[in-house]
Amino acid sequence: MRFLLAVPLTLLSLVPTAAAVPSPAAGPSPVWAPEKTRDEIDWDTLEESTPITNTTQLQARVNAARGIAKRATQGGEPDKVVARFDALGGKFLTDAQLRRVLAECIGQLDSPGTQKMLAKSMLGGAAYEQIFRLRAARECAPGPVDDSALKLLSNKDDGVRREALDVLVRHKHMPVVKSLEGVLKSGKDDVLLGPAVDAISELIGDGEGWNAWEQQLFGFARAPNANVRRAALTVLSRQQDATRLALYLECLQHDDWATRSIALSWLAASNSKEAVAAIIERFLNEPPDSRLAADCGDTLRKMTGQPLQDDAQMWDTWWKNVMSTFEFPKAKGPKTGSAKRPPPVSGTKAPQFYGIEVRSQRVVFVVDVSGSMESTMVGKEYVGEPRIEGARRELVKIIDVLTPGSLFNIISFNDAVVPWLDSIDEAADVASGGKGGKGARKGPTTGPEKEDTRDEKTRARDAEKQAKADELLRTKAKEYVGRLNAAGGTNIHDAFEIAFEDQSVDTIFFLSDGIPSTGKEVDPVAIREVIRRWNESRRIKINCIAIGIELPLLKWVAEDSGGEYKFFP
């Protein structure tokens, strides 16, 4: 007997028939996709829409751009590549460092089509687009781009004008000389006045017009405009011509400290007894513990090989005893070790900020307060301490021990830049009970000092008054330091820019724990170039402190300015 199992129709309908079960070979054939070329892979990487947030992403796109450019120079259609590079570089959100690489790549792909495109496009668009295209033009050979760059010398944006001048000087575009002579004659463009002197000097070089230009430089070296005067003295100082001794001796007595600094540098290599006597005289007239007083001491040690201290009176006495028989060291520079600054007789040390001596009475401390400053230190000296806490502690410590009468400022920065005072000269106003602000009265001059005709009683009263003013200034500064908190990004460019706006500053201490992430410029190479440009004739000494990570930018800036660099893990 056979039994049948009753199965509901609904279940039977779910069982596939033999015809309905697909075999392994059934169905559509897979679509074959050709493997992407190296160019296609690199373009995908380069034009990725995701914002760059780390160095790995940045390096991948930089490598992609350079790979594309290299292959385009070996064949293909470079003009099309340039057009795509230009479109990407012209986007506002494109990373600044990548934009700089794209400009270099466009320059490598230089062609008639590239020059024509740049010559037209650089005349329009936003300032950052014009600067991008000018940087690309700088890498190109001389050509149509130069005529457009010449037109941009009258652009309203300071950065555009400066980049345009760089292109014209690099391409040795001689028609720019006439335009720059017009800039010097009008005296109105403070951004280009100093660079104009330097540019004309480089373009004329040792050519036919140099003798006439050199005579103009001697005139500019005595110009009332500081930018013109400093630039001319810097150009003339590149040659150790003995006939220029009188000029630099004269400038060593100038009211402007930067002018004196340039003169001091030239005189240091002169091997002239007259220069030694003049430097000692200058040393006697510089305010004690000032930046120029310290430089005078260093210069005298290098010139003479004598290990005397930073005591102007000691140098004066020594020179009066030996000047008739003195001979300069035969070897270039002093003997090994003789140029080092000997310890003071009293055993006291110059005040220090993160271990770097503060040898100035006109100094600004620029301190990073970005969010990463909340991270803790790992080095044995400050292990476990939040970076921001260490910065506050070091600031309070240096404020307490700065030389009496010092004028100083503190600038904090993250996304924004916030100075305590508008300038160090306002410190005198704060010290006298004012609040600071625009138009505050000036602090003490760093020019030649007048004879002190005060009697003993008056000097004692003035010293007491100065001590009270110093105490008030330091109290207010420490209150500002106590309010510093860490948050936001790292705006290094704009922080330096604000520091350089103060014409009275001769020394900067710059502290940061991160790479630039915001501001007018975030490319470290570009920031270095800008700072070197600003400091060509300012002669500011920049000491840099890197916290947490080594920062090549800060090391470069310190080296470029003759300052010190220190790293704290």
Side-chain angles (χ1 to χ4, degrees), residues 29 135 150 240 313 329 331 343 352 511 537:
S29 301
R135 287 176 177 170
L150 191 59
Q240 201 64 34
Q313 196 61 56
Q352 296 184 349
L511 180 150
S537 57

Side-chain angles (χ1 to χ4, degrees), residues 273-529:
K273 288 188 178 183
E274 193 174 356
V276 173
I279 294 169
I280 291 174
E281 181 185 354
R282 177 70 261 158
F283 198 177
L284 289 166
N285 288 320
E286 287 292 341
D289 301 309
S290 68
R291 155 80 187 279
L292 260 295
D295 288 352
C296 284
D298 288 343
T299 300
L300 288 168
R301 279 186 288 275
K302 290 175 182 177
M303 289 181 74
T304 67
Q306 297 301 308
L308 300 182
Q309 298 159 351
D310 282 341
D311 184 322
Q313 196 61 56
M314 185 183 295
W315 279 100
D316 186 49
T317 301
W318 168 79
W319 184 246
K320 286 176 179 175
N321 289 329
V322 305
M323 60 181 175
S324 60
T325 58
F326 175 78
E327 293 184 6
F328 288 96
K330 293 181 180 179
K332 187 176 182 181
K335 295 177 183 178
T336 303
S338 60
K340 292 183 179 179
R341 193 179 314 114
V345 173
S346 64
T348 59
K349 291 184 178 180
Q352 296 184 349
F353 184 66
Y354 279 93
I356 301 176
E357 289 187 351
V358 181
R359 304 175 73 207
S360 169
Q361 290 183 310
R362 309 182 76 83
V363 60
V364 60
F365 300 94
V366 187
V367 180
D368 188 342
V369 292
S370 62
S372 56
M373 287 291 286
E374 285 288 2
S375 302
T376 55
M377 305 283 283
V378 297
K380 61 181 181 180
E381 190 171 356
Y382 304 106
V383 63
E385 180 181 59
R387 297 169 186 171
I388 186 65
E389 185 176 322
R392 286 193 295 259
R393 176 176 46 75
E394 287 287 334
L395 282 168
V396 168
K397 186 168 73 173
I398 193 63
I399 289 168
D400 279 335
V401 297
L402 280 173
T403 304
S406 293
L407 299 184
F408 63 92
N409 197 4
I410 303 162
I411 298 174
S412 62
F413 70 95
N414 45 31
D415 296 288
V417 181
V418 183
W420 171 46
L421 302 171
D422 285 337
S423 71
I424 61 170
D425 287 325
E426 289 178 22
D429 182 58
V430 173
S432 62
K435 296 180 179 180
K438 301 287 185 184
R441 65 188 177 82
K442 298 291 183 182
T445 179
T446 58
E449 292 190 348
K450 297 179 180 179
E451 183 181 358
D452 190 350
T453 58
R454 299 173 298 170
D455 58 32
E456 200 73 30
K457 186 176 180 180
T458 303
R459 276 198 292 270
R461 187 174 63 246
D462 288 348
E464 183 179 358
K465 186 178 179 181
Q466 179 65 62
K468 289 181 178 179
D470 272 343
E471 184 60 31
L472 177 60
L473 176 66
R474 293 165 200 248
T475 298
K476 290 183 177 293
K478 287 186 282 188
E479 289 173 357
Y480 172 81
V481 170
R483 296 192 295 269
L484 296 179
N485 291 302
T490 308
N491 191 344
I492 288 179
H493 174 280
D494 295 7
F496 268 116
E497 184 175 44
I498 294 296
F500 267 86
E501 285 179 0
D502 190 342
Q503 296 297 310
S504 296
V505 169
D506 62 29
T507 304
I508 292 173
F509 281 79
F510 196 97
L511 180 150
S512 182
D513 75 335
I515 60 175
S517 63
T518 186
K520 295 177 183 175
E521 181 64 76
V522 297
D523 179 359
V525 175
I527 293 174
R528 180 192 189 181
E529 288 181 2

